[in-house]
């Protein structure tokens, strides 16, 4: 699944703002195995729990320290 899959010529990746809690979105889809998102993620609340996720890709102009910290604290045994 691709969230905010915008072609490079349509918008610069660093200008795409994702203003939703993507981890809540992922937890709502427990059978999802691969997730890729393009854009700057500005909001995450809590670490996520996802048993089936095998790949998680961020294509961004930069991730905040908060996002990286929460991803590291998340329970992702198959990643």
């Amino acid at each position: 699944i691709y969230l905010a899959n915008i072609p490079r010529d349509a918008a610069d990746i660093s200008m795409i703002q994702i203003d939703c809690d993507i981890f809540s979105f992922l937890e709502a889809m427990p059978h999802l195995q691969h997730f890729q998102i393009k854009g700057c993620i500005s909001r995450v609340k809590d670490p996520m729990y996802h048993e089936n996720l095998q790949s998680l890709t961020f294509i961004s102009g930069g991730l905040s320290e908060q996002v990286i910290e929460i991803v590291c604290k998340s329970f992702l045994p198959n990643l």
Side-chain angles (χ1 to χ4, degrees), residues 21-66:
D21 184 5
I22 63 159
F23 292 171
S24 295
F25 175 80
L26 289 172
E27 286 180 335
M29 300 185 348
H31 299 291
L32 186 69
Q33 294 180 344
H34 306 282
F35 184 74
Q36 179 177 14
I37 187 167
K38 293 180 182 180
C40 295
I41 300 158
S42 58
R43 185 174 24 161
V44 289
K45 295 178 183 174
D46 299 310
M48 74 173 143
Y49 176 89
H50 202 295
E51 289 190 18
N52 293 315
L53 197 62
Q54 296 174 15
S55 68
L56 176 62
T57 305
F58 297 99
I59 301 172
S60 174
L63 291 174
S64 72
E65 187 175 315
Q66 176 197 20

